[in-house]
Amino acid sequence: MTETNTTDREPTLLERMGGVSGLIYASIPSIAYVIVNAIAGLDAAIVVAIGASSGLILLRVVRKEPIQPAVSGLLGVVVASLIALYTGSAEGYFLPGIWMSLAMAVVFAVSIAMRRPLVGVIWNALTSAGERTVWHTDKRALYAFDVATLTFVAVFAARYVVQDWLYDAGSAGWLAVARIAMGYPMLALALLVTWWAVRRARSQLQAASDERLQSPATC
C-alpha cells in the first residue's frame, strides 16, 4: 500500500503569500502609517510603519510561520518610507505601488499586442505538458489567455488611475483605503479569470491533440 506524502506537495499561491493571515498582516503597516501620520506627523508614521512591519516578522518567527512574505513586506515598507522622506509628503509612501501598477499594466498590454499574452507565457513556463510550442498557435487557447491577460491589464490600470488621482489630490488616508480595497480582492478576480483561461486552454489543446491522433496519416 502506498502512502501519499502531503509534505511534498507544491504550496498554493495563497500559501506563498503567507496564507489568510498574510493577507491581513500586509495591510497593517499602511493602516498604522496613515493613522499615525494624521496624529503625529510623517516622521513618526514612518517609524511606526517600519516598526509594525518588523514586528510582523517577529510574530511569524514566534508562530513558526514562513517569514518570506513578511520580509518582502518590510523591504517594500522601507522603500516606500524612503520615498516619502524624499518627497516630504505622506502620499509619497504610496508612490512605489502606483508606479508598479502602471508598469505592470504596460507589460501585460504589450504582451497581448505581441500575441504572446503574459498569462499564457507564465502558464507555458510552469507546465510540463507537450503544448509548450503550440499553445499560441491555437486560436481558442490564445483567446482564453488574451482574456485573462486583459483582466490583469484592467486591474493594474484601474489601480494606477484611481490611486494616482488620489495622490494628486493629496489624500493619504483614501490612498490607504484604495490600496487595500484594490489589492487582493481585485487580484482574486484576475486569478479567477486565469483559472478559467487555463481550464479552457487545456481542454482546447487536449481536444486538438486527440483530433490529430485520430486523423488518418497522410502520405
Side-chain angles (χ1 to χ4, degrees), residues 105-118 142 145-146 149-150 153:
V106 171
V107 169
F108 275 80
V110 169
S111 74
I112 296 175
M114 295 177 64
R115 307 313 299 136
R116 293 296 187 276
L118 195 53
L142 186 63
F145 287 126
D146 276 341
T149 303
L150 188 60
V153 174

Side-chain angles (χ1 to χ4, degrees), residues 4 37 56 91 102 107-108 135-136 138 167 175 183 193 202 217:
T4 303
N37 177 71
L56 293 176
E91 296 78 26
L102 176 61
V107 169
F108 275 80
W135 68 271
H136 54 79
D138 187 289
Y167 176 84
L175 270 169
V193 176
R202 279 179 172 171

